[in-house]
Amino acid sequence: MSSAMLQDTQTDWIARGQQVVMNTYGRFPIVIELGEGCTLFDVNGKSYLDFVSGIAVNNLGYQHPVWMAELSEQLGKFAHCSNLYWNPPQIELAELLTRFSAFDRVFFCNSGAEAVEAALKLARKYGKHRKHVIAMENSFHGRTYGAMTLTGQPKYHKNFEPLVPEISYAAFNNFEAVSAQVTQETCAILIEPIQGEGGIQPANPDFLKKVRALCDEKDIVLIFDEVQCGIGRTGKLFGYENFDMTPDMIALAKGLGGGFPIGAMMAVEKVAVFEPGDHASTFGGNALACKAGKAVLDTLLMNEQALLKHTVEIGNYLKSKLAELQKTQPMITDIRGMGLMIGIELDRTVASTVQKCIEQGLLLVGAGPNVLRFVPPLIVTKTEIDAAIAILTNVLNEVSQTARGDI
Ligand SMILES: *Cc1c(COP(=O)(O)O)cnc(C)c1O
């Protein structure tokens, strides 16, 4: 049979993919064809309310007019030129990012892991002879060697040792544990202000303030990984704005391009010690990618930051609906998060709940074994939240009929 004839059904696409795509993901058996607003459609035309957003990537949903217009305009000019030369979208995006943050300089790359790598290299250069970095337990920073080593979860390290040297882990939200690890060799401390993959765990503000003071005292670089919680996700442009303090460096990616791959590392002037030759990326600062980033920032900031305000309000609405559901559904043991980065902890693993939600047309993703994560596009409406809660209510009722031991 020709491949054109095989394209009709979802099952055929999946069979073809399984032959040729590297076996790195446990995927659900759906093949996405189209997105509109907060809704995705599979190749069979079934629709799904998308509360995953490509894992906190599609902040503007699908087919957002500003995003489409900016990218189309740039496509009519050029997509890529080397960093041997300047390009206006890169400069404009760097201006926006620095103007609305505490940072002075931006390095552009293509992903979260690369943004973390850039921060690790910059911190080690700034630290001169000091190379030791403290990362948090239960963290997630990406899959490249530096980022993977910084990830404080042994399951990500298995099979891939030896890891990058001089990285140690301290308990998250435990200042004594962090300060106990500081030595004369420590150059940086890396924290997700809200742990994402680790189960939507916000940092304790007092913990962050104490770490900030320790870093000031010892000239240690404080790095925030905001790959997931940055760019409007918490209802602030940056995650650190929720904590009344500023780090020295920040890693960004996911939401920054609204679905176009882009990452960025930002730093305050004092620690921005890279010189030509130290670090680079062929695609980093690509004109098309930076236009996507500019479209996202412009949209978040327009009309006096209306979309950020909406994120806070609608996030509170979602939380209140989840709290209502918790009253009738005791298997929900905790509700936490900020803005539209929300997790609910269940008294059991979430796999069967996620599976049943997909069947009923709602996309959700776990964050660790027991946490269901809600990271819809920031443009999500009350009606869409009500629809999602209705599906979730059905599913949890079904799941709660099953004894905990069966799952
Ligand atoms: C997703 C994520 C990363 C890795 O980003 P990639 O683009 O997959 O490399 C790093 N840090 C955090 C906090 C993330 O959520």
Side-chain angles (χ1 to χ4, degrees), residues 55 110-114 116 140-143 147 192 194 196-197 225-229 253-254 373:
I55 312 198
N110 314 285
S111 67
E114 282 174 81
V116 170
F140 182 82
H141 300 293
R143 304 301 199 124
E192 287 163 89
I194 305 175
E197 301 311 300
D225 180 343
E226 297 207 5
V227 169
Q228 191 159 157
C229 70
K254 292 197 166 87
R373 172 167 33 175

Side-chain angles (χ1 to χ4, degrees), residues 31-32 56 105 107 126 173 177-178 188 196 198-200 213 231 241 265 290 300 331 354 399:
V31 181
I32 301 302
R105 293 192 180 270
F107 173 81
Y126 175 78
N173 274 338
V178 172
I200 314 293
I231 313 297
E241 294 176 69
M265 181 271 285
C290 288
L300 291 174
M331 62 188 271
V354 170
V399 170

Side-chain angles (χ1 to χ4, degrees), residues 123-136:
R124 282 187 168 174
K125 182 171 186 197
Y126 175 78
K128 300 205 174 83
H129 71 277
R130 298 179 290 150
K131 302 298 179 195
H132 171 233
V133 179
I134 303 172
M136 299 301 115

Side-chain angles (χ1 to χ4, degrees), residues 193-195 200-205 208 228-229 232-236 238-244 311-316 318-319 335-343 374-376 378:
I194 305 175
Q195 289 190 335
I200 314 293
Q201 301 278 5
N204 178 331
L208 292 183
Q228 191 159 157
C229 70
R233 187 45 56 191
T234 65
K236 303 270 189 195
F238 300 100
Y240 72 84
E241 294 176 69
N242 294 290
F243 296 96
D244 194 23
T311 301
V312 173
E313 281 164 23
I314 205 86
N316 286 337
L318 173 55
K319 262 191 177 170
I335 301 169
R336 51 183 187 252
M338 294 174 169
L340 283 171
M341 183 171 178
I342 295 176
F374 301 79
V375 283
L378 307 183

Side-chain angles (χ1 to χ4, degrees), residues 128-401:
K128 300 205 174 83
H129 71 277
R130 298 179 290 150
K131 302 298 179 195
H132 171 233
V133 179
I134 303 172
M136 299 301 115
E137 289 172 3
N138 204 35
S139 58
F140 182 82
H141 300 293
R143 304 301 199 124
T144 55
Y145 260 94
M148 174 184 67
T149 305
L150 289 161
T151 294
Q153 301 191 56
K155 69 174 179 188
Y156 292 104
H157 300 160
K158 196 173 152 256
N159 296 322
F160 302 116
E161 293 93 351
L163 303 176
V164 175
E166 296 200 48
I167 290 172
S168 67
Y169 314 96
F172 181 56
N173 274 338
N174 183 334
F175 176 71
E176 282 67 37
V178 172
S179 67
Q181 293 205 1
V182 171
T183 71
Q184 302 281 23
E185 305 303 315
T186 307
C187 66
I189 297 176
L190 172 62
I191 299 175
E192 287 163 89
I194 305 175
Q195 289 190 335
E197 301 311 300
I200 314 293
Q201 301 278 5
N204 178 331
D206 186 55
F207 166 71
L208 292 183
K209 270 191 200 139
K210 285 182 175 155
V211 172
R212 176 70 271 177
L214 175 71
C215 288
D216 288 341
E217 186 196 320
K218 309 252 182 199
D219 194 25
I220 292 169
V221 177
L222 179 56
I223 307 166
F224 275 8
D225 180 343
E226 297 207 5
V227 169
Q228 191 159 157
C229 70
I231 313 297
R233 187 45 56 191
T234 65
K236 303 270 189 195
L237 194 52
F238 300 100
Y240 72 84
E241 294 176 69
N242 294 290
F243 296 96
D244 194 23
M245 48 86 65
T246 57
D248 304 301
M249 282 184 210
I250 189 177
L252 297 170
K254 292 197 166 87
L256 180 56
F260 201 94
I262 180 171
M265 181 271 285
M266 294 204 280
V268 297
E269 191 68 43
K270 182 183 168 202
V271 302
V273 294
F274 275 160
E275 295 163 299
D278 282 339
H279 198 48
S281 164
T282 297
F283 290 122
N286 170 287
L288 201 55
C290 288
K291 269 289 189 186
K294 185 175 176 298
V296 170
L297 286 193
D298 281 345
T299 308
L300 291 174
L301 296 168
M302 71 174 52
N303 303 328
E304 294 170 9
Q305 313 196 346
L307 187 51
L308 293 175
K309 287 174 192 153
H310 170 79
T311 301
V312 173
E313 281 164 23
I314 205 86
N316 286 337
Y317 180 72
L318 173 55
K319 262 191 177 170
S320 74
K321 287 282 157 183
L322 291 167
E324 259 173 47
L325 178 55
Q326 186 183 27
K327 282 186 199 145
T328 58
Q329 196 46 268
M331 62 188 271
I332 301 176
T333 57
D334 194 22
I335 301 169
R336 51 183 187 252
M338 294 174 169
L340 283 171
M341 183 171 178
I342 295 176
I344 61 173
E345 190 157 331
L346 303 186
D347 63 3
R348 65 196 77 198
T349 56
V350 298
S352 64
T353 301
V354 170
Q355 177 66 49
K356 284 179 198 290
C357 283
I358 292 178
E359 283 160 20
Q360 298 191 28
L362 171 64
L363 302 184
L364 290 177
V365 59
N370 290 354
V371 176
L372 267 182
R373 172 167 33 175
F374 301 79
V375 283
L378 307 183
I379 56 164
V380 70
T381 62
K382 273 190 177 170
T383 313
E384 285 162 332
I385 286 181
D386 291 343
I389 291 285
I391 295 173
L392 181 67
T393 305
N394 271 342
V395 167
L396 290 188
N397 285 341
E398 257 175 62
V399 170
S400 63
Q401 312 286 315

